[in-house]
């Protein structure tokens, strides 16, 4: 049986059983629960629009189901993290205990996925900023005057914004990004205020609503379902949160996971429901673009979208860098013997805090530099990113959590057999989503006109 590490157990007096290991995590460095919840919520929050393709009831149910599946994957990862060396849990560390030969492949898949998502954020910002600036300029000055030409160039704005994002990307700890996550959550609250306010008090110039159905499936449901599935992808940041959380008992981890996923479900449901009730079947994927931008209230909301995406960027760079650290580390994990004479892999050299300053700087510069160049010269990576999402997001959200926990607990008599089988079922579900999304993306390549007509 594999020995458990990593959990900080609290006694009745509130003392931490791991306090003596101050070299691993100093008390002053421990992340509070609010920081962990906000960072995980920030990673999750995105955009969902599926009600127009299925109706209100199926849209609500599929969103809840996707959120629960994502939460179960996070729960399994939090259980698996306790088998890794203290405060050094990662996909690599857990994979070394379960599928050591595939550990490098797992990290490569996660790194590619996180790099693809972070680059897509930059491309989205480049496309949104000129419209945001134009709307704000007209609302704050005269509608008859135009902003300067430089302000309407997406390339100029992505260059400016990178000066803000690059320093954030160099932070080693996820907890250091908590203030950025707080800003993102404030932006989300503002967006909620927009969709609710504009439903009860529509703005002048709002497009007329289409049909509204409780249940009404259309062919586009096939394309919107994967969006809901991947909307709760945040497994890449679960291990850093587990390592940094001041008291990372399973009860506290469950609160972090439940609060984050529950918040994301609520936000998705409110935005999707009120957006659908406002625009009906005419609702678009970008809900904020549906409202007339002649209102300063809406223009600030468009800026909030940019802020939300902008400060989500460092949360993708951090796990990408951690995975590349494992891939390019030529040293092998150290094996020691525990008191039960079982070989235990201690991945001491792979803790994030132990990465040399030179290597940390080089990896971060490479991720941000290459991502910036792609975003600067490329305007659309939709098809490439759809494959990255289908492969990477499915792997780290469902397949890996299920397989890793199934393997690590199958010979452990203290683990429920039902939970062990449920983990395998989650991996099976992930494989089905993987095949479906990959097949759909391939179909889109050969039938682009048919897909777009839907």
């Amino acid at each position: 049986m594999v020995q458990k590490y990593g959990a900080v157990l609290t006694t009745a007096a509130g003392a931490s059983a791991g306090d003596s290991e101050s070299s691993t995590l100093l008390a002053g460095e421990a992340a509070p629960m609010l920081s962990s919840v906000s960072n995980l919520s920030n990673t999750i929050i995105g955009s969902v629009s599926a009600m127009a393709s299925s109706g209100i009831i199926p849209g609500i149910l599929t969103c809840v189901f996707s959120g629960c599946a994502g939460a179960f994957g996070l729960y399994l990862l939090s259980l698996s993290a306790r088998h890794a060396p203290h405060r050094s849990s990662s996909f690599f560390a857990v994979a070394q205990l379960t599928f050591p030969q595939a550990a490098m492949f797992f990290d490569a898949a996660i790194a590619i996925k996180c790099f693809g998502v972070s680059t897509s954020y930059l491309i989205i910002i480049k496309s949104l900023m000129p419209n945001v600036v134009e709307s704000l300029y007209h609302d704050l000055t005269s509608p008859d005057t135009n902003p300067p030409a430089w302000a309407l160039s997406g390339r100029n704005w992505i260059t400016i914004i990178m000066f803000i994002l690059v320093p954030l990307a160099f932070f080693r700890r996820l907890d250091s990004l908590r203030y950025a996550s707080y800003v993102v959550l404030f932006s989300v609250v503002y967006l909620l205020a927009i969709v609710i306010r504009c439903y009860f008090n529509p703005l002048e110039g709002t497009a007329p609503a289409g049909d509204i159905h409780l249940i009404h499936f259309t062919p586009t449901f096939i394309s919107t379902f994967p969006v809901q599935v991947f909307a709760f992808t945040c497994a890449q940041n679960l291990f850093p949160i587990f390592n940094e959380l001041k008291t990372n008992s399973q009860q506290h981890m469950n609160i972090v996971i439940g609060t984050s996923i529950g918040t994301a479900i609520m936000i998705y449901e409110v935005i999707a429901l009120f957006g659908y009730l406002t625009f009906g079947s005419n609702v678009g994927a970008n809900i904020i673009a549906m409202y007339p931008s002649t209102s300063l209230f809406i223009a600030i909301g468009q800026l909030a979208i940019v802020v939300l995406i902008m400060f989500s960027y460092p949360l993708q760079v951090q796990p990408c860098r951690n995975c590349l650290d494992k891939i390019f580390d030529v040293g092998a994990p150290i094996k020691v013997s525990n008191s039960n004479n079982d070989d235990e892999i201690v991945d001491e050299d792979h803790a994030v805090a132990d990465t040399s300053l030179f290597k940390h700087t080089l990896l971060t510069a490479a991720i941000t530099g290459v991502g910036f160049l792609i975003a600067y010269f490329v305007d659309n990576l939709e098809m490439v990113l759809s494959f990255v999402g289908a492969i990477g997001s499915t792997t780290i959200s469902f397949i890996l959590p299920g397989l890793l926990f199934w393997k690590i607990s199958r010979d452990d008599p203290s683990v429920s057999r039902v939970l062990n089988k449920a983990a395998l079922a989650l991996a099976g579900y992930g494989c089905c989503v993987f095949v479906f999304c990959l097949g759909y993306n391939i179909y889109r390549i050969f039938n682009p006109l048919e897909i777009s007509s839907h």
Side-chain angles (χ1 to χ4, degrees):
M1 182 177 69
V2 181
Q3 185 174 346
K4 293 184 180 180
Y5 293 89
V8 176
L9 304 178
T10 54
T11 65
S16 171
D19 285 345
S20 60
E21 302 186 37
S22 57
S23 61
T24 305
L25 184 70
L26 299 178
E29 296 176 345
M33 183 174 294
L34 179 60
S35 169
S36 301
V37 171
S38 65
N39 282 324
L40 198 58
S41 299
N42 186 358
T43 313
I44 297 169
I45 290 170
S47 132
V48 174
S49 84
M51 288 190 180
S53 62
S54 61
I56 294 176
I57 296 177
I60 292 176
L61 294 179
T62 53
C63 182
V64 172
F65 173 78
S66 299
C68 291
F72 185 53
L74 296 176
Y75 173 69
L76 294 180
L77 286 179
S78 68
L79 293 176
S80 302
R82 302 185 183 283
H83 296 272
H86 183 69
R87 299 291 188 180
S88 298
S89 64
S90 64
F91 276 104
F92 183 89
V94 177
Q96 285 281 25
L97 302 173
T98 52
F99 303 97
Q101 295 180 342
M104 203 67 71
F105 167 78
F106 294 160
D107 270 346
I110 298 168
I112 293 172
K113 182 265 178 188
C114 293
F115 177 77
V117 172
S118 65
T119 304
S120 72
Y121 286 165
L122 299 180
I123 294 176
I124 292 172
I125 292 172
K126 183 178 77 170
S127 65
L128 288 179
M129 275 306 297
N131 295 331
V132 171
V133 171
E134 190 170 15
S135 297
L136 288 172
Y137 194 86
H138 289 161
D139 290 329
L140 295 174
T141 60
S142 171
D144 298 328
T145 58
N146 294 320
W150 70 266
L152 296 179
S153 171
R155 289 183 175 180
N156 289 342
W157 277 110
I158 199 62
T159 304
I160 295 172
I161 288 175
M162 284 303 290
F163 281 101
I164 302 174
L165 295 181
V166 169
L168 296 178
F170 272 88
F171 284 134
R172 289 177 179 265
R173 291 168 50 81
L174 212 59
D175 181 53
S176 302
L177 300 171
R178 61 185 181 277
Y179 297 113
S181 293
Y182 297 157
V183 173
V184 169
L185 293 179
F186 174 79
S187 301
V188 172
V189 171
Y190 191 88
L191 296 177
L192 288 174
I194 288 179
V195 297
I196 295 174
R197 187 263 188 190
C198 290
Y199 169 70
F200 290 104
N201 187 16
L203 298 172
E204 183 179 354
T206 301
D211 298 329
I212 297 175
H213 303 277
L214 289 177
I215 301 177
H216 181 68
F217 287 96
T218 66
T220 54
F221 178 74
I222 297 176
S223 62
T224 58
F225 178 70
V227 176
Q228 281 198 335
V229 172
F230 299 142
F232 298 93
T233 299
C234 58
Q236 68 274 7
N237 285 327
L238 188 280
F239 287 116
I241 287 174
F242 178 86
N243 295 336
E244 296 175 13
L245 190 60
K246 185 174 183 179
T247 304
N248 62 356
S249 65
Q250 191 58 50
Q251 180 182 3
H252 282 75
M253 287 301 301
N254 291 345
I255 293 175
V256 171
I257 294 170
T259 303
S260 303
I261 294 289
T263 301
I265 291 176
M266 182 195 69
I267 291 170
Y268 288 146
E269 298 285 24
V270 171
I271 291 178
L273 179 60
F274 281 93
Y276 182 62
L277 292 176
T278 302
F279 298 104
S281 57
N282 296 329
V283 68
N286 183 3
I287 185 65
I288 197 67
M290 299 292 296
Y291 300 102
S293 58
T294 54
S295 167
L296 181 61
F297 180 59
I298 301 300
I300 295 176
Q302 293 176 336
L303 180 62
I305 289 284
V306 174
V307 172
L308 187 155
I309 298 172
M310 184 171 68
F311 286 116
S312 297
Y313 175 81
L315 293 173
Q316 298 294 331
V317 174
Q318 207 253 19
C320 179
R321 180 179 59 233
N322 292 346
C323 290
L324 291 178
D325 179 29
K326 314 296 189 302
I327 294 173
F328 293 113
D329 196 330
V330 296
I334 304 172
K335 285 190 177 182
V336 298
S337 297
N338 58 29
S339 57
N340 296 326
N341 295 324
D342 294 330
D343 281 338
E344 188 68 37
I345 297 176
V346 179
D347 194 22
E348 294 174 345
D349 295 333
H350 287 80
V352 176
D354 294 335
T355 305
S356 68
L357 178 61
F358 174 77
K359 187 177 182 182
H360 175 86
T361 304
L362 184 63
L363 289 176
T364 307
I367 295 169
T368 55
V370 175
F372 167 74
L373 290 176
I374 294 175
Y376 188 86
F377 291 105
V378 179
D379 295 326
N380 192 346
L381 286 175
E382 179 183 359
M383 185 55 66
V384 174
L385 293 175
S386 65
F387 279 93
V388 171
I391 298 173
S393 296
T394 309
T395 300
I396 69 173
S397 296
F398 308 120
I399 298 177
L400 279 185
L403 282 181
L404 293 178
F405 182 77
W406 169 77
K407 182 66 178 295
I408 210 168
S409 65
R410 64 176 181 174
D411 297 325
D412 188 347
S414 64
V415 176
S416 166
R417 295 301 91 193
V418 174
L419 182 61
N420 183 263
K421 292 179 180 178
L424 193 59
L426 181 68
Y429 167 74
C431 290
C432 293
V433 173
F434 180 96
V435 172
F436 172 82
C437 293
L438 201 59
Y440 178 74
N441 287 335
I442 295 174
Y443 179 79
R444 288 174 61 194
I445 293 177
F446 295 101
N447 300 274
L449 297 179
E450 183 177 345
I451 294 296
S452 62
S453 66
H454 291 161

